[in-house]
């Protein structure tokens, strides 16, 4: 640790961080103990694992906490020695002087966190650190008769493992401390194998960073417990794992000017007192419980894998707008992550192809409260007591709304293991997010974005609907950006699609911007191209045409009188992951290469 000798303040900051890590690790260990005790798992195996946790893994985590505290004590002693050495030499270096700002000793309350950061004079050249400890103990016992002979060709392998990691990144101001451990047993007899296991993990992070004029103090803690089991008999096998855990996170953001004040202490900020938040600052609290389940099976050369993760939580945020007004946002959140794969599993080669998908949702209430008024203060008190906000504007309450958020991603994966060498490739088919705001009068506005084909095609949109459910086309916007390669640039340059007279090149981006009227015109062009027969009759020319299946698909079938333009435009621009096909569809329905709206090449 001698490379810290020239920076006494850094030594003491690191010691304080180690002490905080020990405290958090003790808390996570206590939480994991409660989780293990509450898991509905009975029988001799469960009792043995609980005993192993009590007598082996938990004491190991306790020793880790003690080691952190001892390391903190030594760091402080080294800092004191450095100061005495500097004094004996007739002076001290500037790096040995305490830096301005409060200490990082943890305090109760949601706003605790590291108190040093770029806005408070952190030394840019301060070194980071990273270290880890790992250990494993395995015991292999054969099942024997009293005379010592092997009863059956069976063996039992018991394994206990533990790990500890700590790191500090000066570039991001992030300190991470984590620990984990596991217990497992495997029984092998006559070509069959049975395995059972349990593992736990805990991690805490602290971050302080400055960006765009604001300093953020953030932290999180999480823990998990997983129970697993599996069996394999000749060419048939199956394994399953079930886990649950929790995660809590906080974030306090203040203007850099506030963070740079030597008298400022972020631990003084609390959402229970909105006036403790500096103007322009905010406090966010998130918590969630999550579960996970994994299954893998094999039969002869065929293999199947599936993984599902879910979470349920709550998000709360308070933003100080000015001296008297705060914006409060609160509501439940949920998420789902799912992946599956099928393939072949041979002795020397394993090939799996699969799909992945995830999404997160939240239904948030939001309102601006005037805490200088009795009504606004009472509404804030009700929010603190029950987590609810007014659904209507009134005295002391404004801008109330229901905010629905969604984000998700979908894709595919391919994994190949050949003679022990692993190769994998992931393809992101689409990723996007959207926000819908419903106001007390019933009006709704939407905004969002979605990306296709590994971000080579992107769509951004805005929508607005009044209280009677009537959409305002002039308030709608849709912007589509397509990154061009040699093939897609050729479609434009060959005259199939007019990009405002510009010549396209690979590496540029085609940008199409439509308002609500333009979207309707695009849908009308699509219907017109597909539903004008050779004799001028209104009929579908060819329902086997891929373009016809997009335009005429779904809820409106083959009825030419119904033209849900949003579904048509969405199908034209977002149904396929092939950008060349998208441009081909647009060229086919265009009028001599021209499309409604604004079409141009940028970049």
């Amino acid at each position: 640790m001698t490379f810290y000798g020239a920076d006494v303040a850094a030594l003491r900051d690191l010691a304080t961080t180690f002490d905080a890590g020990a405290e958090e690790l003790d808390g996570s260990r206590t939480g994991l103990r409660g989780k293990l005790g509450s898991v509905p798992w009975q029988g001799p195996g469960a009792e043995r694992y609980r005993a192993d946790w009590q007598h082996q893994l938990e004491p190991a985590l306790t020793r880790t906490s003690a080691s952190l505290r001892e390391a903190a004590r030594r760091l402080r002693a080294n800092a004191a020695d450095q100061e005495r050495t500097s004094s004996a030499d007739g002076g001290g270096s500037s790096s040995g002087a305490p830096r301005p700002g409060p200490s990082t000793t943890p305090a109760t309350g949601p706003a605790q966190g590291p108190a040093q950061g770029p806005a408070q004079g952190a030394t840019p050249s301060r070194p980071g650190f990273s270290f880890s400890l790992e250990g494993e103990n395995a015991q292999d016992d054969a099942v024997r008769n009293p005379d010592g002979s092997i009863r059956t060709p069976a063996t039992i392998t018991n394994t206990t493992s533990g790990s500890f990691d700590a790191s500090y990144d000066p570039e991001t101001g992030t300190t991470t401390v984590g620990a984990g451990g596991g217990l497992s047993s495997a029984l092998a007899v006559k070509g069959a194998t049975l395995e059972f296991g349990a593992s736990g993990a805990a991690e805490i992070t602290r971050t302080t960073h400055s960006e765009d004029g604001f300093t953020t103090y953030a932290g999180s803690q999480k823990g998990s417990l997983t129970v697993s089991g599996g069996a394999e008999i000749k060419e048939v096998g199956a394994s399953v794992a079930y886990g649950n855990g929790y995660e809590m996170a906080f974030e306090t953001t203040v203007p850099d000017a506030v963070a740079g004040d030597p008298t400022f202490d972020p631990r003084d900020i609390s959402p229970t007192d909105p006036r403790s938040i500096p103007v322009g600052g905010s406090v966010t609290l998130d918590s969630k419980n999550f579960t996970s389940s994994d299954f893998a099976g094999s039969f002869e050369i065929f293999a199947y894998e599936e993984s599902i993760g879910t979470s349920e939580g709550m998000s709360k945020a308070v933003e100080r707008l000015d001296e008297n007004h705060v914006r409060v946002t609160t509501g439940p959140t949920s998420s789902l992550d799912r992946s599956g794969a099928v393939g072949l599993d041979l002795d020397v080669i394993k090939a799996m192809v699969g799909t992945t998908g995830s999404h997160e949702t939240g239904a948030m209430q939001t309102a601006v409260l005037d805490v200088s008024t009795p009504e606004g203060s009472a509404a804030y008190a009700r929010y603190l007591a029950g987590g609810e906000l007014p659904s209507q504007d009134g005295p002391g309450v404004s801008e109330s709304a229901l905010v629905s958020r969604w984000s998700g991603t979908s894709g595919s994966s391919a994994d190949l293991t050949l003679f022990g060498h692993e190769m994998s490739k992931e393809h992101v088919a689409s990723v996007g997010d959207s926000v819908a705001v419903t106001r007390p009068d019933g009006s709704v506005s939407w905004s969002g974005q979605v990306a296709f084909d590994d971000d080579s095609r992107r769509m951004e949109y805005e929508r607005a609907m009044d209280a009677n459910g009537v959409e305002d086309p002039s308030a709608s916007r849709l912007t589509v950006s397509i990154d061009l390669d040699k093939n897609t640039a050729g479609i434009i340059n060959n005259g199939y699609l007019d990009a405002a007279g510009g010549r396209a090149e690979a590496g540029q981006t085609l940008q199409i911007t439509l308002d609500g009227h333009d979207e309707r015109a695009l849908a009308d062009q699509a219907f017109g191209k597909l539903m004008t027969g050779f004799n001028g009759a209104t009929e579908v020319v060819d329902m086997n045409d891929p373009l016809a299946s997009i335009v005429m698909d779904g809820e409106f079938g083959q009825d030419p009188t119904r033209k849900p333009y949003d579904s048509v435009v969405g199908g034209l621009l977002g149904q396929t992951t092939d950008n060349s096909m998208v441009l081909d569809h647009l060229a086919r329905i265009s009028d001599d290469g021209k499309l409604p709206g604004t079409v141009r090449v940028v970049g």
Side-chain angles (χ1 to χ4, degrees):
M1 306 292 287
T2 57
F3 54 85
Y4 287 107
D7 192 341
V8 173
L11 284 173
R12 287 175 173 151
D13 284 348
L14 182 58
T16 301
T17 298
F18 275 15
D19 278 337
E23 291 293 333
E24 295 284 1
L25 187 58
D26 284 340
S28 298
R29 173 174 52 81
T30 301
L32 287 171
R33 183 201 307 150
K35 290 282 188 180
L36 183 59
S38 63
V39 170
W41 185 24
Q42 304 297 327
E47 295 302 323
R48 184 177 72 253
Y49 286 127
R50 291 190 176 99
D52 287 341
W53 163 267
Q54 179 181 358
H55 298 296
Q56 297 183 48
L57 185 55
E58 186 173 16
L61 295 177
T62 301
R63 290 192 296 271
T64 300
S65 298
S67 298
L68 282 173
R69 292 188 175 92
E70 174 62 19
R73 185 192 67 78
R74 292 183 180 181
L75 286 170
R76 291 191 178 94
N78 289 339
D81 290 342
Q82 175 67 29
E83 284 185 328
R84 285 193 295 269
T85 300
S86 299
S87 299
D89 290 339
S93 65
S94 61
S95 62
R99 288 178 292 176
S103 71
T104 59
T105 304
T108 58
Q112 57 179 296
Q116 76 278 3
Q120 294 174 297
T123 306
S125 60
R126 175 179 176 182
F129 70 87
S130 177
F131 65 90
S132 63
L133 300 172
E134 295 185 6
E136 184 173 296
N137 179 35
Q139 183 178 2
D140 200 359
D141 294 326
V143 180
R144 299 177 180 274
N145 294 311
D147 61 0
S149 61
I150 297 178
R151 182 182 305 171
T152 62
T155 58
I156 299 178
T157 302
N158 297 307
T159 303
T160 303
S161 62
S163 65
F164 172 79
D165 297 276
S167 65
Y168 171 71
D169 184 350
E171 297 296 327
T172 61
T174 301
T175 301
T176 302
V177 179
L183 311 165
S184 64
S185 293
L187 169 65
V189 55
K190 294 183 177 180
T193 302
L194 298 175
E195 296 181 348
F196 301 93
S199 62
E203 181 183 276
I204 59 172
T205 62
R206 301 280 180 172
T207 301
T208 302
H209 68 275
S210 177
E211 185 177 1
D212 297 330
F214 289 87
T215 298
T216 298
Y217 307 89
S220 67
Q221 65 176 21
K222 56 186 177 182
S224 62
L225 177 66
T226 302
V227 179
S228 61
E232 183 176 354
I233 303 176
K234 296 184 183 299
E235 290 85 11
V236 180
S239 64
V240 63
Y242 174 81
N244 58 34
Y246 71 95
E247 183 173 355
M248 301 177 62
F250 69 87
E251 182 175 286
T252 300
T253 300
V254 299
D256 282 345
V258 174
D261 186 342
T263 64
F264 171 71
D265 189 338
R267 294 169 297 173
D268 294 336
I269 298 177
S270 172
T272 60
D273 180 10
R275 295 190 181 277
S276 69
I277 305 173
V279 173
S282 63
V283 176
T284 302
L285 303 173
D286 293 299
S287 63
K288 63 181 179 181
N289 295 313
F290 57 85
T291 62
S292 63
S293 60
D294 298 272
F295 174 81
S298 62
F299 178 75
E300 294 182 347
I301 65 173
F302 300 101
Y304 172 77
E305 299 174 356
E306 184 179 47
S307 178
I308 300 175
T310 62
S311 73
E312 300 287 340
M314 179 66 68
S315 179
K316 300 179 180 181
V318 181
E319 179 184 3
R320 183 84 177 273
L321 302 179
D322 55 36
E323 288 296 327
N324 298 323
H325 294 84
V326 293
R327 183 187 304 278
V328 183
T329 304
T330 182
T333 61
S334 64
S335 68
L336 170 66
D337 297 278
R338 184 166 187 168
S339 62
V342 296
L344 303 179
D345 190 357
L346 306 174
D347 291 336
V348 297
I349 183 173
K350 181 179 180 180
M352 305 287 290
V353 293
T355 59
T356 60
S358 65
H359 71 260
E360 296 183 5
T361 59
M364 307 291 181
Q365 284 184 288
T366 184
V368 173
L369 307 180
D370 184 352
V371 294
S372 68
T373 65
E375 295 85 355
S377 296
Y380 196 86
R382 288 193 296 271
Y383 156 71
L384 293 177
E388 294 185 359
L389 291 172
S391 59
Q392 300 289 331
D393 293 349
V397 180
S398 60
E399 299 183 30
S400 59
L402 177 64
V403 181
S404 300
R405 301 179 182 274
W406 175 92
S407 63
T409 181
S410 65
S412 60
S413 62
D415 296 279
L416 176 65
T417 302
L418 182 62
F419 297 105
H421 298 282
E422 296 184 0
M423 295 167 282
S424 63
K425 181 179 181 181
E426 294 186 359
H427 173 74
V428 178
S430 63
V431 57
D433 59 75
S434 66
V435 177
V437 179
T438 304
R439 299 173 183 81
D441 63 358
S443 62
V444 184
S445 61
W446 295 268
S447 63
Q449 57 187 351
V450 61
F452 303 91
D453 198 20
D454 289 331
D455 202 37
S456 66
R457 182 166 80 259
R458 300 165 298 279
M459 297 172 58
E460 299 180 10
Y461 60 88
E462 296 179 5
R463 293 283 190 272
M465 185 179 295
D466 63 20
N468 297 319
V470 179
E471 184 175 351
D472 180 5
S474 61
S476 297
R477 290 291 184 275
L478 174 64
T479 300
V480 182
S481 301
I482 301 176
D483 294 338
L484 301 175
D485 56 19
K486 183 178 179 180
N487 293 331
T488 50
I491 294 177
I492 297 174
N493 295 332
N494 291 332
Y496 300 118
L497 196 62
D498 184 5
R503 181 170 180 82
E505 297 180 1
Q508 292 184 311
T509 299
L510 176 69
Q511 192 174 83
I512 305 171
T513 303
L514 311 170
D515 63 15
H517 300 289
D518 296 328
E519 291 184 46
R520 285 174 167 81
L522 183 65
D524 286 339
Q525 285 186 199
F527 276 93
K529 295 291 183 178
L530 293 172
M531 302 188 66
T532 301
F534 291 106
N535 298 320
T538 303
E539 61 181 11
V540 178
V541 177
D542 182 7
M543 276 305 298
N544 294 320
D545 187 335
L547 182 57
S549 66
I550 293 176
V551 178
M552 305 302 300
D553 193 14
E555 56 180 319
F556 49 93
Q558 301 180 29
D559 184 354
T561 63
R562 300 181 61 191
K563 301 179 181 181
Y565 69 95
D566 51 350
S567 299
V568 175
V569 174
L572 287 171
L573 300 175
Q575 187 178 77
T576 176
T577 59
D578 187 335
N579 290 338
S580 296
M581 188 173 295
V582 171
L583 294 183
D584 179 68
H585 289 337
L586 293 177
R588 288 182 58 193
I589 65 175
S590 66
D591 290 332
D592 296 327
K594 297 184 181 298
L595 294 173
T598 302
V599 182
R600 60 177 184 154
V601 174
V602 298

